[in-house]
Amino acid sequence: MNITVFDDLEKLYKKAADVFVDLSKKSIQKNDRFVVALSGGSSPKAIFKLLATPEYKEQIEWNKVYFFWVDERWVPLNDDKSNFRMTDEALLHQVPVDQNHIFPMYAEGVTPEDYAKAYEQQIRTVLGDDGIFDFILLGMGDDGHTASLFPGEEVLNEKEKWVSAYYLKSQEMFRITLTAPIINNADNILAIAFGESKKHALNEVLNGEYNPSLYPMQLIEKKDGFQFFTDEKARG
């Protein structure tokens, strides 16, 4: 795992956008496509907005990019809380993507649990039974959670399913998420965590005793292809 500490968030966002562009070129050259799973939140939003600028937009063959999501709140796609809506407004609506290559993590008229099964099948249809994403973008919360893998939840113990849905009592809502097994399959993972509020959890994730039930980000394997972008406030 490679950890990069930035002294300026704009530099972090720019480097993350550079990573996206570089990996897209390599994946498309190798496999004629680039299959990604994206996260929500303010950091990804800043990166997506950069990717939609002419400087980056023109470097990517958008019609060969396949978009999945890392996790989602179980809300309609036009809801303010929807990760899809944020990504759509910041990026997808701004670049020439193939609409058939977009796989939102929500559907009307089905239960979250049933859609988790359907979403896994969508992933298998695109990636096959190996389930290897070219790139996954992750964030980390102050509590050490990533995706919708929250401390103390049963989903942390998942070994087989690639996608899981469950009711998160602390937020009084259903969440749907990729699980640790499919995330760890990815060829490339970029995790982003910065700011004073992340300092304790980041130190535990990187240096503490292995306790993923308390710090779920520890479930993500520290292997080649895993990059962590942070700043001096979080790294200490």
Side-chain angles (χ1 to χ4, degrees):
M1 182 181 67
N2 183 33
I3 303 170
T4 306
V5 182
F6 294 84
D7 59 7
D8 179 84
L9 290 185
E10 293 306 315
K11 293 178 183 177
L12 185 156
Y13 297 145
K14 190 174 188 304
K15 183 60 177 177
D18 289 340
V19 167
F20 190 98
V21 170
D22 181 57
L23 291 176
S24 76
K25 291 177 178 178
K26 290 177 179 177
S27 296
I28 289 170
Q29 182 178 28
K30 182 179 179 181
N31 299 314
D32 202 38
R33 67 180 188 180
F34 183 44
V35 187
V36 306
L38 303 178
S39 292
S42 57
S43 301
K45 184 176 182 179
I47 297 165
F48 300 158
K49 284 188 171 183
L50 261 182
L51 290 171
T53 62
E55 178 185 357
Y56 288 98
K57 180 179 180 179
E58 295 167 6
Q59 297 187 62
I60 297 170
E61 293 185 72
W62 291 104
N63 64 326
K64 295 183 178 180
V65 184
Y66 290 69
F67 295 92
F68 290 87
W69 272 260
V70 169
D71 72 320
E72 185 61 276
R73 302 171 184 88
W74 193 252
V75 295
L77 298 179
N78 61 356
D79 192 286
D80 289 343
K81 297 184 177 70
S82 169
N83 288 337
F84 169 83
R85 175 177 174 175
M86 181 276 287
T87 308
D88 187 52
E89 292 177 349
L91 178 61
L92 302 183
H93 223 65
Q94 313 300 324
V95 296
V97 299
D98 185 332
Q99 295 300 309
N100 293 319
H101 294 174
I102 300 174
F103 300 90
M105 221 174 201
Y106 174 85
E108 295 281 354
V110 296
T111 66
E113 294 87 351
D114 283 345
Y115 195 64
K117 296 175 184 176
Y119 203 76
E120 178 168 332
Q121 187 54 55
Q122 291 178 358
I123 295 173
R124 290 182 183 275
T125 298
V126 173
L127 292 179
D129 290 335
D130 290 337
I132 301 174
F133 280 97
D134 296 312
F135 175 68
I136 292 181
L137 177 63
L138 296 176
M140 188 191 77
D142 298 353
D143 58 357
H145 87 267
T146 192
S148 284
L149 306 176
F150 286 88
E153 297 294 334
E154 183 61 32
V155 69
L156 302 178
N157 300 317
E158 184 57 59
K159 305 296 184 188
E160 302 296 330
K161 291 190 292 187
W162 291 355
V163 187
S164 183
Y166 68 99
Y167 188 76
L168 185 60
K169 291 181 181 178
S170 62
Q171 295 184 2
E172 298 184 335
M173 71 186 321
F174 279 94
R175 308 282 301 219
I176 182 170
T177 185
L178 299 187
T179 63
I182 185 69
I183 294 173
N184 283 324
N185 265 356
D187 276 340
N188 299 279
I189 297 171
L190 173 58
I192 296 175
F194 58 80
E196 186 75 28
S197 65
K198 307 288 177 74
K199 184 175 180 179
H200 175 74
L202 183 61
N203 182 60
E204 291 296 330
V205 167
L206 298 178
N207 308 309
E209 181 179 345
Y210 186 70
N211 187 4
S213 65
L214 192 56
Y215 300 102
M217 178 60 89
Q218 289 182 333
L219 288 170
I220 311 307
E221 298 170 0
K222 299 179 177 72
K223 62 180 183 179
D224 290 343
F226 182 14
Q227 298 187 70
F228 216 120
F229 285 5
T230 185
D231 70 345
E232 295 168 349
K233 292 180 180 179
R235 194 72 172 106

